[in-house]
Structures are given as structure tokens and as C-alpha cells.
Amino acid sequence: MNLQINGKSEALDVRPEETLLDLLRERLDLTGAKKGCDHGQCGACTVLVDGKPVLSCLTLASRVRGEVTTIEGLDQHPVQAAFLRHDAYQCGFCTSGQILSAVGLIDAGGATDADAVRQAMAGNLCRCSVYPMIIAAVLDAALAREAAE
Amino acid sequence: MKPFRYAKSGTFIAGGTTLVDLMKLGVVAPETLVDLADQPAGITLDAAGLRIEAGATMAAVAAHPGVAERFPAVAQALQQAASPQIRNMATIGGNLLQRTRCTYFRDKASACNKRDPGSGCSAIGGDERGLAVLGRSPSCIANYAGDLAVALVAHKAEITVLGRDGKSRQLPIGDLHRLPADRPHIEHGLAQGERIAAVWVPDQAWSFSTYVKLRDRASYAFALASAAACLRMAADGLVVDASLALGGMAAKPWPCPQAAALLVGHRLSQDVAEAVADRAYEAAEGDPKLIAVGKAAIVSALDRAARSVKAASET
């Protein structure tokens, strides 16, 4: 099958039971999506499919039809810059998932205030608990984008 | 995960958020999956009600402005369910049929009559927190963890069931899920090869509807207890009709017509709400703390209704 990943078409022989997360990490060397819980509970494996945040650990690669974006597909994205400015990470394990959820949220126009961001980012856990910085970074990136428009 | 192949008959997969998880745990190991990726996903509102096709994602229905305006309990149930990523993946049909979160069901080392009929139940006498207190059986105390179905039971919704022969039938949502009795592995009223095609929520002109979910943290957690309430009130604030359903407390969304009937002819008050909650949990058995949480969900839902009556009378 052909998978569209980060703007490239990848021709792959996919086993039915292979998850998108394993395929990205083990076969395409795209290790930005992390295997945290592997059961849809932590959000570290979040990627975008057609711009929407989904869990790659619960996605069977053989069923993916849309365009996949991983953290490697972002190039000095304003959300990444905002995470740097706000020091919105500590160990970094959850960060790529956090950033992709934030990109999906901002693109959908949902990052309207701190409470909306908290609700919309509820599927991304951070064991270092830098949540205040993450929320500040997401709001900052949303504001910057609004100003640019 | 045990290898499988795609086929025309077998276990249905829609969003896959429950099924893939359970396949990884080895709790289920289907040999064939039927991919429902292309099933219809429309959301239609008209004067008579709301029709949701089974392939619509939870996110799409939760974000639909017409649903939030006319069926607040439905929108609230979905907005509080799971996480944003899961709501982007999971479909309405799959959500209604999500499996229990009972730890013993999910753990292959435990005895579970639902997973392996006849093996026993490690949950009974184990850690019962978060399991059923209503409709328990000596063979199973697993609960149904979904939110949407609870709001749909309060709304007296119907589902369209599609058979393998292409013929469809209507089923009241309250008849979809089953209590365990002595066959806890039979969880719903669908026959082999049947699946949910659509949900119909009739507009019964309720004055107020709401969904209250109580849980260990404010987001991304299953309900310890929930309550959905639909109320029709006269201009003087007297309740004319009421429908109530409870979540997280039984193997199925729990309708409580007798408790709801206590509201009719009364104005909403704390005393009335507590009487309704006591009646709803009259037959409950198990952890008294959990039962208290269940009652609190009902009182909170009725308190929201009372506040909305008060706010309306002041404007």
C-alpha cells in the first residue's frame, strides 16, 4: 500500500496488525512519535492524520487513508518556537505529541483561552507536569498566528 | 497482537480505539476483521429530531452546533468522553458498543466470565471500585463505561440495526445492552453479523437536558458515576415530565422511570432531588461510597435544572 507521510508517498508492504506507531518508528526511522503506554492513555504517540490529532498506537497502519504528519514533518513551526520560548518541556518524552495536538488545535481555531487549551490537550499527559508552560506556549502560538493573519 | 486478516465476515472495526487496545492485551483475538472505514457518517437535524449515522466520529457530533443547542445532554456526554485524539478516531456506532473497563476483564491473568465464560469472576470480592452496583449478578459485576448511551437512554433514542442481508430493524437504545445474569459474555441484543447503522434521537421538546459525569479527574477519565436528565417544565416551574438514566453503575445505561416519576407535579428542590436519588439507588448493592457518588450525580443534574429555571424566571 501507499502511505502519505510528511508530504512523501511511501510504498510499503504492511502487515494487517502493524500499528502506525510501530511502522513509523521501526521501519521509517521516524522516532519522534513515542511509545509511552501503547494503549491510548498517554498521548505520546500523537500524530496528525489529515490535520487531526490521533493516536498512532491505536491506529492500524493498514487502515490509514489520509495524510500523516509527524513531528519530523514540521519545520521550525511557530508552535515549536513557542515551546522553546516558554521552556514547555522537561524530559521531552511527551513533547512531540504535545506539539502535534497543539498544531491540530490551533489550526482548528480552538485555542481560544487557557481553559479551552486545557480541555483540548487533555489527551496528552506530561509526567514532568510542565502543564502551565505548555498552556502558555500554545496560547502564545495561537495569538502570534492570529496577529499574522 | 495476534495476526488477523481482513474479510467480509468477522469482527467489525470502525474507529478501533477499543478493539485494537483489547487485541494488544490479548483479551480478544479475532481471526478476521471487517473494515467499516467507508460506512456513512452523516449528522442530520430536522424538526422531528437528530439522526446520526454510525460512522460519524464522536468529535464531529460533539462539535456540531445544532446538537449542542437542541440536545445538550448528548453534546455534553460526548465532550466529556475519552480524549480529543480518541474522539477524532472513535465512531458513534463503536462508542455505543465499547467494552467494559473492568480491570479483571482487561487482565488475562484474572478469572472473568465475560472474557472466558465459566472461568469465574475475580472482580467480586476484589477491588470493586468503579464497578457495578446495580443489576449485578453472581457471575459478573463489570460496568458499561460509555457516556453517550446514557444520554441517549434518557432521550429515549432508537438505533437502526443493519443485518448481513441488508435488512434493517429499529431497536430502542434501552434494549441494546444487556445485564449479565448468568451469561455475562452476551453483552448486547445484536445478532451475529448485525451492526448499528444509525441513531435516532427524537425531539420531544424537553425544557432542559443535561449530563453530569463524576470521575477521579476533570478530564480524560471514565465515569465513576454519571446521570442524564431530561425535564419538561410548565411555566410555573412544575415538572410535567421527566426522564432519567444513570451511567457507570451497571452493565448497561440504567433507566430509572420510577425515580423520574417522583419529579412529576413538583418544583425542583434539594429535598425532591435527594428523594429521586434515593429511589434510583434503592436496589443498589456494593460499596456505599460509590452509591453516594451515584446519588450525587443525580442531585447535581437536578440542581443544574433548578438553576436554569431560576435563571429563566429572572430574565
Side-chain angles (χ1 to χ4, degrees), chain B residues 21-296:
Chain B
D21 181 29
L22 292 177
M23 286 166 72
K24 285 184 177 188
L25 291 169
V27 169
V28 296
E31 286 185 5
T32 54
L33 291 188
V34 181
D35 193 339
L36 296 180
D38 295 323
Q39 66 175 329
I43 305 168
T44 347
L45 273 162
D46 62 25
L50 164 67
R51 186 167 192 272
I52 309 168
E53 288 178 312
T57 63
M58 293 171 75
V61 182
H64 194 291
V67 175
E69 192 192 320
R70 288 182 46 200
F71 301 94
V74 171
Q76 290 163 13
L78 285 167
Q79 286 156 2
Q80 295 178 79
S83 71
Q85 295 98 316
I86 289 175
R87 295 196 296 269
N88 281 337
M89 302 166 72
T91 66
I92 295 300
N95 177 254
L96 293 178
L97 291 172
Q98 77 173 78
R99 308 293 302 275
T100 183
R101 298 298 296 187
C102 175
T103 315
Y104 302 94
F105 168 74
R106 292 171 58 80
D107 169 31
K108 274 183 75 183
S110 300
C112 174
N113 287 322
K114 189 183 276 301
R115 176 170 25 81
D116 299 311
S119 64
C121 173
S122 295
I124 296 172
D127 181 3
E128 297 188 11
R129 188 171 187 277
L131 296 178
V133 300
L134 291 163
R136 289 155 62 111
S137 91
S139 49
C140 182
I141 58 169
N143 63 341
Y144 173 74
D147 297 295
L148 171 66
V150 181
L152 294 180
V153 167
H155 270 292
K156 299 171 186 173
E158 275 189 4
I159 54 173
T160 304
V161 176
L162 188 63
R164 202 182 282 164
D165 55 4
K167 289 191 184 132
S168 62
R169 63 184 175 106
Q170 294 297 110
L171 188 70
I173 183 78
D175 294 346
L176 176 62
H177 301 95
R178 294 213 170 150
L179 289 178
D182 56 357
R183 293 192 304 167
H185 59 289
I186 301 189
E187 298 180 335
H188 54 71
L190 304 187
Q192 191 77 31
E194 280 190 325
R195 62 184 167 90
I196 297 173
V199 177
W200 169 248
V201 195
D203 188 336
Q204 298 184 319
W206 298 106
S207 328
F208 181 85
S209 81
T210 195
Y211 181 75
V212 170
K213 180 172 182 178
L214 300 181
R215 44 187 164 167
D216 286 331
R217 57 185 184 206
S219 59
Y220 203 8
F222 289 96
L224 276 175
S226 69
C230 298
L231 301 171
R232 188 172 301 112
M233 286 167 286
D236 57 5
L238 284 182
V239 177
V240 181
D241 195 5
S243 178
L244 197 58
L246 312 177
M249 291 302 207
K252 57 184 283 181
W254 194 262
C256 1
Q258 288 162 345
L262 294 180
L263 288 162
V264 175
H266 292 275
R267 282 188 181 78
L268 295 169
S269 70
Q270 181 77 16
D271 287 348
V272 169
E274 284 173 9
V276 170
D278 286 342
R279 174 62 70 87
Y281 281 96
E282 208 171 39
E285 46 188 328
D287 184 354
K289 280 190 227 154
L290 200 57
I291 295 169
V293 176
K295 290 182 180 179

Side-chain angles (χ1 to χ4, degrees), chain A:
Chain A
M1 69 182 289
N2 274 298
L3 278 170
Q4 303 299 318
I5 298 175
N6 296 332
K8 267 172 51 189
S9 181
E10 305 272 1
L12 293 154
D13 201 6
V14 178
R15 283 177 291 117
E17 66 275 14
E18 197 167 4
T19 65
L20 178 59
L21 178 61
D22 285 343
L23 182 135
L24 291 170
R25 291 183 58 83
E26 307 296 334
R27 295 174 59 189
L28 298 176
D29 215 18
L30 296 170
T31 55
K34 303 296 184 214
K35 189 177 270 198
C37 69
D38 206 23
H39 286 280
Q41 298 174 6
C42 75
C45 69
T46 302
V47 300
L48 303 179
V49 174
D50 290 337
K52 289 181 182 160
V54 299
L55 300 170
S56 60
C57 78
L58 293 184
T59 301
L60 295 170
S62 50
R63 302 183 71 224
V64 174
R65 308 273 178 91
E67 181 97 22
V68 179
T69 306
T70 71
I71 195 75
E72 290 89 348
L74 302 185
D75 184 18
Q76 304 198 8
H77 192 281
V79 175
Q80 291 171 303
F83 268 65
L84 280 171
R85 261 198 317 281
H86 288 271
D87 207 10
Y89 42 77
Q90 201 175 104
C91 81
F93 199 79
C94 72
T95 308
S96 38
Q98 300 277 3
I99 288 174
L100 288 163
S101 272
V103 169
L105 175 65
I106 294 169
D107 285 350
T112 46
D113 57 35
D115 198 45
V117 173
R118 266 192 289 272
Q119 287 300 327
M121 303 277 293
N124 292 83
L125 305 188
C126 169
R127 270 191 58 170
C128 309
S129 212
V130 299
Y131 294 111
M133 291 78 146
I134 293 171
I135 291 160
V138 176
L139 286 171
D140 194 9
L143 269 179
R145 175 174 161 140
E146 215 169 275
E149 273 170 2

